[in-house]
Amino acid sequence: MSVLITGGTGWIGRRLLPHLTDPIVVSRNAASAKQRTGLPADQIIECEIGSELLPSPRLTNVSAVVNLVGESIAEGRWTADKKKRLRESRIQTTQNLVHSLLQGDILPETCVSASATGYYGERGDDVLVESDPAGEDFLSQICLDWEKATQPLVDAGVRVCYLRIGIVLGKGGGAMKTMLPPFRWGAGGRLGSGKQWMSWVHIDDLVQMILFLLNQSTCTGPFNATSPNPVRNSQFTKAMGVALGRPTFMFVPQTALRIAIGEFANFLFASQRVLPSAFENAGFTFQFPEIESALAEIVAT
Ligand SMILES: NC(=O)c1ccc[n+]([C@@H]2O[C@H](COP(=O)([O-])OP(=O)(O)OC[C@H]3O[C@@H](n4cnc5c(N)ncnc54)[C@H](OP(=O)(O)O)[C@@H]3O)[C@@H](O)[C@H]2O)c1
């Protein structure tokens, strides 16, 4: 039996693949997926999942699904067109994935579907756990609808877990790809007042969280995929400076960043103090619970 992964060619997906036996990756481009994942052609399904359904015969041996698809929120300015893609590449793709699975003869037992801590919106110093309500901004509404898109699987008896992923820190991708260079040059600094909370997770812990949810048959519903120790942006900045041995005197005003990169700047300044309550209650153990050790590992090479 196999695990089917949408978005398996992405940064997180590629880190997950080596931990799975016979994974099947769904991609819009099979040739590029083969190159990026190193998987043989028979473990790749080429499909424009945003506009078409997956071929049923390829789903008969699928026991679990990991849904990691979605256009990057960090790359490119948030034009009306980009915002449409951000939304559709998560919701429409998830709806099509769900319909494809429901059309098959055998349903998977489990589905772990990505969402994000953006679910909660801008929340100042509030401590947020899974039972807290969604925010009302653009990303909150995407996350809410993204999670709702899997409801037909829940209704059909599939065990569905929503992974509300925080800022993923790791080598070679995610937030560090943009943040590391200025910090390495000594041009890194806090964003605005630096008081906003950052809910982060080390990529190795995130991969273990996905595996944990696949294997724990009692886990269901939302799970905050964040470290147990969110930090203020100023603490994160200081920890980056220490890890790299570089000064962090600079600071970036919100208005300047908004002019430079547009609406995405609001996301960078949003404060979310999220705790991984459900993972802790389920007995998950973190390899990188503290920002200092997480950053030290990431910048080590
Ligand atoms: N990285 C983070 O810090 C973070 C934080 C919170 C939530 N998440 C969520 O976790 C998931 C995986 O993140 P990631 O960093 O691994 O993402 P990624 O590297 O950007 O990869 C996502 C994959 O989604 C597919 N994709 C991209 N744009 C698409 C579009 N317009 N329509 C259909 N498919 C599209 C691509 O696969 P193909 O090109 O092969 O089709 C791509 O490899 C995403 O849903 C993301 O929103 C990530």
Side-chain angles (χ1 to χ4, degrees), residues 128 130 209 224-229 274-281 286:
L128 301 165
E130 287 82 356
M209 285 167 157
N224 290 335
T226 60
S227 89
N229 296 298
V274 179
L275 294 184
S277 197
F279 271 117
E280 290 194 308
N281 290 340
F286 286 84

Side-chain angles (χ1 to χ4, degrees), residues 47-172:
C47 175
E48 271 293 344
I49 185 85
S51 54
E52 59 185 7
L53 298 188
L54 291 162
S56 297
R58 299 291 304 271
L59 303 178
T60 45
N61 277 330
V62 170
S63 60
V65 175
V66 179
N67 181 27
L68 293 173
V69 79
E71 167 127 354
S72 165
I73 66 160
E75 282 164 27
R77 223 177 159 83
W78 284 17
T79 58
D81 209 40
K82 168 84 179 177
K83 285 171 85 170
K84 188 166 177 264
R85 286 201 307 276
L86 288 173
R87 198 179 153 76
E88 289 183 354
S89 68
R90 288 171 173 79
I91 295 153
Q92 224 141 300
T93 54
T94 303
Q95 284 169 346
N96 284 349
L97 169 68
V98 167
H99 289 153
S100 308
L101 294 168
L102 290 171
Q103 278 187 4
D105 292 337
I106 306 165
L107 278 173
E109 287 160 26
T110 311
C111 173
V112 176
S113 194
S115 176
T117 52
Y119 177 91
Y120 300 105
E122 155 63 58
R123 301 292 280 270
D125 286 345
D126 294 355
V127 174
L128 301 165
V129 295
E130 287 82 356
S131 54
D132 280 296
E136 287 176 359
D137 63 24
F138 171 68
L139 284 181
S140 307
Q141 291 307 301
I142 288 187
C143 292
L144 191 66
D145 292 342
W146 198 3
E147 292 183 10
K148 275 188 195 160
T150 59
Q151 187 58 39
L153 284 184
V154 179
D155 296 342
V158 176
R159 181 171 68 86
V160 178
C161 300
Y162 313 107
L163 206 54
R164 292 184 186 152
I165 306 172
I167 301 164
V168 187
L169 302 179
K171 289 177 195 135

